[in-house]
Structure formats: C-alpha cells, structure tokens
Amino acid sequence: MGMKANSGLFKNTSGALKHKLNIQMFNSSKKDGVFSSTGHVSNNSISKNREYFYGKSAKQISQDMQRLGYDTTVRKSAHAKSKAEVIVVGNSDKHKNISQVLVSPGSKRHGDVPYVKISLNKPIGSKKLGKIKVIDANKSDYKTDGKEKAYIYYRREK
C-alpha cells in the first residue's frame, strides 16, 4: 500500500507532507548481486556473485530475469544430443545487456560439469569479450581446448 502524497488524506495532521516527494530518491542504482536494478550485468558482478548460478535451472534464472524486465523464452538447445536449455531474450538493450543464457547440465565435450554461458549484446571488460561462462566445478574438471572466447569463472577454492 503506497502513500498518496497529494491526496489530502493527511492534511493538517502530523503525517502531512511538507515537501513534495522526490520519487527518484527511492530508485536504486546500486548494484546488488548479479544484476543491477535495471537488469544489467557486468564481468565484475558475475565474478563476485557466480554462486547465484550454481544449481539453478533455466526456468529459475528466466523467472529472475523476468522480474527485472527481461522478456524471456526458454527452449531446448538446437544441438541434437545436447541436454542444455537456452533462455532467449527478446528485449535486450543498454540496460538489459543479456541477449541469451545457455544452462548446461554438463556434456562430454566439457567434462560433464554443469555451466552457464551468458551472451551479452555488447563486448565488455579489458578483453572485449561478449560471453561469460560460470562453471560449477574446479578448473581441473572442466575440459577446454584453450581457445574459448569468453570470460570463465570456476567454483571458488574453499
């Protein structure tokens, strides 16, 4: 239930507003977690909050993205043998910079370790890459050819 500043409801009471409310003051531009308040992600926000993706399904991530204003659709991967699911974004922009998220339970190619690959609509970071991978395993468990063009974040050492 919100307060109606100009309704006259609190007129001549101690709850009366003496000044016009600046609604912008209540909007948060603070980045808390993986997503900013507008839905933007950065290399740094994903690096610091990689645990967010561990154990989450494509549906769960998609629902969180929808709460931030993303228009998402979950579909199966186009590769015949893949068990991965893809979250396709229909309204990617400068504030919502994710264009697609692939959620994989693991594969023979990468060593049967679950991972999430986030594709961005614009390259970021010092290497100017447009993909970020969050791998739910140690570096030694993940198979790669060493030619991947993505920022890669592994499970933290304990």
Side-chain angles (χ1 to χ4, degrees):
M1 179 180 229
M3 184 181 353
K4 296 182 179 180
N6 297 323
S7 68
L9 204 55
F10 295 103
K11 193 173 185 179
N12 300 325
T13 68
S14 61
L17 294 174
K18 306 262 189 273
H19 305 284
K20 188 174 180 180
L21 278 177
N22 180 0
I23 300 300
Q24 290 292 36
M25 180 176 77
F26 297 105
N27 287 344
S28 172
S29 61
K30 179 183 164 210
K31 292 185 179 187
D32 33 346
V34 174
F35 303 98
S36 73
S37 60
T38 61
H40 192 275
V41 295
S42 68
N43 202 11
N44 192 35
S45 70
I46 291 177
S47 171
K48 286 182 178 178
N49 300 287
R50 62 188 87 173
E51 292 82 5
Y52 162 83
F53 295 101
Y54 298 160
K56 285 205 176 172
S57 68
K59 183 178 178 182
Q60 290 170 313
I61 295 169
S62 176
Q63 288 171 341
D64 287 346
M65 291 173 69
Q66 287 173 355
R67 282 187 210 105
L68 292 164
Y70 279 95
D71 176 24
T72 63
T73 306
V74 178
R75 66 169 174 79
K76 294 282 184 191
S77 171
H79 298 286
K81 294 182 180 181
S82 176
K83 296 175 186 168
E85 290 186 302
V86 180
I87 302 167
V88 181
V89 175
N91 64 336
S92 186
D93 61 25
K94 69 180 181 178
H95 299 294
K96 296 171 193 67
N97 64 337
I98 299 174
S99 58
Q100 178 175 296
V101 179
L102 179 129
V103 181
S104 175
S107 63
K108 288 182 181 180
R109 178 180 178 193
H110 291 300
D112 282 329
V113 295
Y115 67 91
V116 174
K117 181 172 68 174
I118 302 152
S119 299
L120 306 172
N121 60 14
K122 184 178 176 184
I124 61 170
S126 59
K127 297 179 185 177
K128 297 294 182 199
L129 299 175
K131 293 181 181 157
I132 302 171
K133 273 191 178 179
V134 178
I135 297 155
D136 191 3
N138 297 323
K139 188 174 184 176
S140 60
D141 297 331
Y142 180 73
K143 292 181 187 175
T144 180
D145 59 5
K147 298 178 183 177
E148 293 193 59
K149 301 230 185 271
Y151 295 104
I152 300 177
Y153 297 103
Y154 300 97
R155 182 174 281 285
R156 295 181 208 268
E157 300 281 328
K158 290 185 179 177

